[in-house]
Amino acid sequence: MQVTETLSQGLKREFQVLLAAKELEERLTTELSTLKDKAQIKGFRPGKVPVAHLRKLYGRSVMADVLQNAVNEANQKIVTDNNLKLALEPKIEFPGEASIVDRALEAKDDLSFNVALEVLPSFELVDLSDVTLTKQVAKPSDEEVDEAINRMASSNRAFTPKDEGAEAATGDRVTIDFVGKIDGFEFDGGKGEGVDLELGSGSFIPGFEDQLVGAKVGQSLVVKSTFPEAYGAEHLAGKDAEFDVTVTAIQAPGETKIDDELAKGFGMESLEKLKEAVAGALGGDFEAQSRRKLKKELLDALDGKYAFDLPPSLVHQEFAAVWAQVEQDLKTRGKTFEDEGTTEEKATAEYRKIAERRVRLGLVLAQVGETADIKVSDDEVNQALIARARQYPGQEQQVWDFYRKNAQALAELRAPLFEEKVVDHVLAQVKLVEEPVSKDALFADEDADAASAGSTESETDKSQAPSGDDLPAVAKAD
């Protein structure tokens, strides 16, 4: 096998690999000799099949395997001999003329093929001792804890049937049967029986609940409503619909009491213990948001510290993923680039910069992790998998099996664990200044911060885990 470098330009490399006919013949003979001891062919005793006969029967298929093995060996030789780190799998280009490949498959002629690849850039990790980051911290106030407990009490209060002939009022729980139609035809997800709905909760699409105020048990009425333009189901977004609704029960909310009995209903010994638990949960939410904002600030700082060539294929791959999400979002919301105050050309340039940032930061964090020998243990992955499975009550086994049988999905679960460890490692190298802030300040611009904080993550939350979503379409106000 003869390997010759034919191109070294930036991060692109190309090599020509030559396999002489003699070498092809030797490789083929070796493989056929191995096959001879295993082949069971009618008319021949085991191990006694002539190699010439095997070649006649299986020569081309065995040579195909020989060529594949040779390609793999060539790729490994190129990487090892040149000490390369590949950005993506090499691209192999065989001669365009079929006759050349055919003669090589018969070991009658030399075979030459090209290997094109992109390598990861080489760069030095920078000193971060001059970087100062601000970590916003907030603690839940007594008022915020009380508000949370009031919401918990309200969502768990008892309901009792209203007197016969009573009308439904805002805050009441009604039980309804309904059939939805668009242009006179029923649509998927538009039918429900025995569905409980708390009027005023905003659980159903806009306008639906309001029209049930004043209804009585046994009453049938037509509710007219319009699906939001940004509705998740494209075939329903923005459509006018009519629902034939029958009210089968009306219940009034009971009194909301904030006391020890309420706490016991949530598994707590007393109201004081419940408040402590709620304060801890809110504190955890605040700390998670603080972490998100700090991570964004850190990634911004890193982005400003590094400038190096990026593998074009990685950028293209990342941009394609980002752009697909952008187009899907616009399609779902029924919007255009002009509606968003931009053009497709400007949006393309903007999102390409985002893709470049993701690739750059991904490479930086990967090298930091490699240099620091940061590892994610199997136990940590299992704990993350258990946490993911718990997000799907009743489907835990399916989720577990899905990830265990899907290496790519499992890798997507491991990636954010690795990234968070690397982030912790980098944070230890910078100066941190804590800034006490209010809850509102902490969560200001939350959507923008969350989007930026995920700039190098592997979209784990969007992995193809099975979903147990079986709510009627009308109930999905978002």
Side-chain angles (χ1 to χ4, degrees):
M1 180 185 295
Q2 181 180 338
V3 179
T4 306
E5 185 175 54
T6 58
L7 175 70
S8 178
Q9 184 178 51
L11 300 177
K12 293 184 177 181
R13 304 284 189 277
E14 289 187 11
F15 296 84
Q16 184 182 62
V17 179
L18 176 65
L19 292 171
K22 181 180 179 181
E23 180 180 355
L24 291 173
E25 177 66 34
E26 290 173 351
R27 286 173 176 257
L28 176 60
T29 300
T30 299
E31 291 297 321
L32 290 175
S33 297
T34 302
L35 180 63
K36 175 183 177 181
D37 296 331
K38 302 176 182 178
Q40 295 184 0
I41 299 177
K42 188 175 181 179
F44 296 93
R45 287 179 295 166
K48 300 298 182 179
V49 183
V51 171
H53 188 64
L54 287 175
R55 181 167 186 160
K56 181 178 179 181
L57 293 176
Y58 307 117
R60 287 183 68 88
S61 63
V62 171
M63 182 60 90
D65 292 336
V66 166
L67 290 180
Q68 183 60 60
N69 291 335
V71 168
N72 294 338
E73 289 178 25
N75 290 342
Q76 186 61 48
K77 179 177 175 59
I78 289 170
V79 170
T80 302
D81 291 354
N82 296 278
N83 194 27
L84 302 177
K85 291 184 177 180
L86 302 187
L88 293 172
E89 287 296 311
K91 293 182 179 179
I92 311 300
E93 183 179 355
F94 286 101
E97 294 184 27
S99 60
I100 297 178
V101 177
D102 286 340
R103 289 185 61 80
L105 286 172
E106 296 175 5
K108 293 180 178 180
D109 207 345
D110 299 345
L111 177 65
S112 177
F113 61 89
N114 293 325
V115 179
L117 47 84
E118 289 181 7
V119 299
L120 295 177
S122 176
F123 57 90
E124 297 293 328
L125 296 179
V126 301
D127 181 16
L128 300 176
S129 60
D130 62 336
V131 176
T132 299
L133 303 180
T134 300
K135 180 181 180 180
Q136 294 184 343
V137 294
K139 294 183 178 180
S141 65
D142 292 340
E143 291 76 14
E144 289 164 346
V145 172
D146 289 340
E147 287 176 7
I149 290 178
N150 283 330
R151 289 193 298 270
M152 294 169 63
S154 178
S155 63
N156 286 274
R157 60 188 169 180
F159 283 81
T160 57
K162 298 185 77 168
D163 294 336
E164 185 176 352
E167 296 182 346
T170 299
D172 287 348
R173 176 190 291 169
V174 297
T175 303
I176 58 175
D177 299 334
F178 60 87
V179 177
K181 298 178 182 179
I182 294 178
D183 296 329
F185 296 95
E186 294 184 20
F187 58 88
D188 291 339
K191 178 185 291 187
E193 293 183 0
V195 176
D196 290 332
L197 172 62
E198 187 173 332
L199 301 184
S201 65
S203 302
F204 277 25
I205 58 177
F208 189 100
E209 296 169 27
D210 296 341
Q211 297 175 60
L212 296 181
V213 173
K216 299 179 180 180
V217 173
Q219 181 178 352
S220 296
L221 63 160
V222 176
V223 172
K224 298 181 179 181
S225 189
T226 302
F227 284 93
E229 292 289 344
Y231 193 70
E234 182 183 355
H235 68 291
L236 299 178
K239 297 291 183 64
D240 294 328
E242 291 188 354
F243 297 86
D244 296 325
V245 181
T246 299
V247 179
T248 60
I250 301 175
Q251 295 178 306
E255 182 181 358
T256 300
K257 292 183 179 181
I258 310 296
D259 54 17
D260 289 343
E261 288 302 314
L262 172 68
K264 290 177 182 178
F266 287 100
M268 298 293 168
E269 298 175 6
S270 63
L271 180 59
E272 190 62 30
K273 292 293 185 181
L274 178 60
K275 288 184 177 182
E276 290 177 7
V278 170
L282 290 176
D285 291 341
F286 289 5
E287 177 59 29
Q289 174 64 2
S290 177
R291 167 81 174 193
R292 283 191 289 269
K293 299 188 78 168
L294 178 61
K295 182 179 176 182
K296 176 190 180 301
E297 191 177 353
L298 173 64
L299 295 179
D300 288 343
L302 289 177
D303 193 37
K305 286 279 189 179
Y306 289 91
F308 49 79
D309 291 338
L310 302 174
S313 294
L314 282 185
V315 174
H316 175 76
Q317 187 180 72
E318 188 64 38
F319 172 76
V322 172
W323 192 250
Q325 292 179 23
V326 171
E327 291 186 316
Q328 182 59 46
D329 177 63
L330 289 175
K331 185 177 181 181
T332 298
R333 295 187 294 116
K335 299 291 185 180
T336 64
F337 289 107
E338 287 68 25
D339 293 332
E340 300 296 315
T342 186
T343 64
E344 183 170 351
E345 183 179 4
K346 290 180 179 178
T348 298
E350 176 186 352
Y351 286 106
R352 187 168 296 280
K353 288 182 179 179
I354 291 176
E356 291 173 352
R357 169 189 162 101
R358 289 186 176 187
V359 172
R360 183 182 305 108
L361 290 175
L363 293 175
V364 170
L365 294 182
Q367 182 155 324
V368 170
E370 181 180 353
T371 303
D373 196 28
I374 293 173
K375 306 290 186 184
V376 176
S377 68
D378 290 340
D379 184 61
E380 289 171 319
V381 175
N382 285 336
Q383 290 302 316
L385 179 50
I386 290 171
R388 176 58 60 87
R390 285 175 176 169
Q391 296 175 4
Y392 301 88
Q395 300 184 73
E396 291 88 350
Q397 188 61 49
Q398 294 105 301
V399 175
W400 181 274
D401 292 342
F402 170 81
Y403 279 96
R404 281 301 175 192
K405 295 176 182 177
N406 189 326
Q408 180 61 34
L410 202 60
E412 291 173 352
L413 201 63
R414 182 185 293 269
L417 299 177
F418 174 80
E419 181 173 299
E420 291 306 310
K421 282 192 168 187
V422 175
V423 167
D424 285 335
H425 178 79
V426 177
L427 285 174
Q429 302 175 39
V430 304
K431 182 180 179 180
L432 285 182
V433 177
E434 289 194 351
E435 177 190 4
V437 296
S438 66
K439 172 190 173 183
D440 291 340
L442 180 63
F443 285 88
D445 301 322
E446 181 179 3
D447 292 340
D449 287 347
S452 297
S455 59
T456 66
E457 292 177 354
S458 55
E459 303 284 337
T460 309
D461 290 338
K462 295 183 176 66
S463 62
Q464 302 171 36
S467 170
D469 189 0
D470 57 359
L471 293 174
V474 67
K476 301 175 185 175
D478 297 325

